[in-house]
Amino acid sequence: MIDGLPPGLTGSDLARAALASARAAAKARKPTKRSAAAVNRGRRRRWSGSGADARDPQPLGRLLSGMAKDRGWDEQLAGGQVFAKWPHLVGAEVAQHAKPVTLREGELVVQAESTAWATQLRLLQRQLLQQIAKGVGPNVVKRLKVQGPSAPNWRFGPLHAPGRGPRDTYG
């Protein structure tokens, strides 16, 4: 005997009675979140349509810029822009004779190819800072340090003999 069913039923009558009993028990239960979700499944899904929507595929640049803002990478990326856009920021002639070396804590170190160009860049320092700020944003580069050309390094290989180097051989 099955609980809650009348005695003496067999076959299809027993199946109908069991189904009716299960339906009555289901209606008596309180609806849960799962059953509410099952009710909403019958509704028609709303599509985004032809207009732009947040669910549409996004350009990679927009996604990466949003991720950079969320993670606080804006300053480092702006510093990278100085190196990437150097010829556009300072002009082709200056970029041909000077290159950025490092950018740390707002100080940009620029190396000139000659001492004459280093002096010229020191004189143009204020204008260069304005052009850089206009191109990549304010407070990315606060100070400009100009270096002259570096002397060649004559120390090749793992071993080195002490001494003055090439200076004592030229005179």
Side-chain angles (χ1 to χ4, degrees), residues 89-105:
L89 294 174
V90 297
E93 188 176 4
V94 173
Q96 187 178 10
H97 299 286
K99 63 179 180 177
V101 179
T102 60
L103 176 62
R104 288 194 187 113
E105 299 172 2

Side-chain angles (χ1 to χ4, degrees), residues 87-168:
H88 300 292
L89 294 174
V90 297
E93 188 176 4
V94 173
Q96 187 178 10
H97 299 286
K99 63 179 180 177
V101 179
T102 60
L103 176 62
R104 288 194 187 113
E105 299 172 2
E107 182 179 64
L108 178 66
V109 178
V110 176
Q111 185 175 19
E113 72 174 15
S114 67
T115 54
W117 269 101
T119 304
Q120 185 69 21
L121 291 177
R122 287 185 190 106
L123 293 173
L124 293 172
Q125 185 171 6
R126 188 172 295 156
Q127 290 90 348
L128 291 175
L129 286 173
Q130 288 174 353
Q131 289 174 345
I132 292 170
K134 210 182 294 182
V136 295
N139 297 328
V140 175
V141 177
K142 299 172 188 169
R143 293 175 306 280
L144 191 65
K145 182 178 177 183
V146 180
Q147 294 178 342
S150 61
N153 186 3
W154 297 98
R155 296 181 182 201
F156 298 110
L159 301 175
H160 175 70
R164 294 188 56 195
R167 289 179 294 273
D168 59 356

Side-chain angles (χ1 to χ4, degrees), residues 43-64:
R43 292 186 183 169
R44 184 174 176 210
R45 182 174 179 197
R46 305 187 98 215
W47 299 96
S48 65
S50 61
D53 192 358
R55 295 177 288 179
D56 291 341
Q58 301 293 320
L60 186 61
R62 186 181 309 157
L63 293 174
L64 290 178

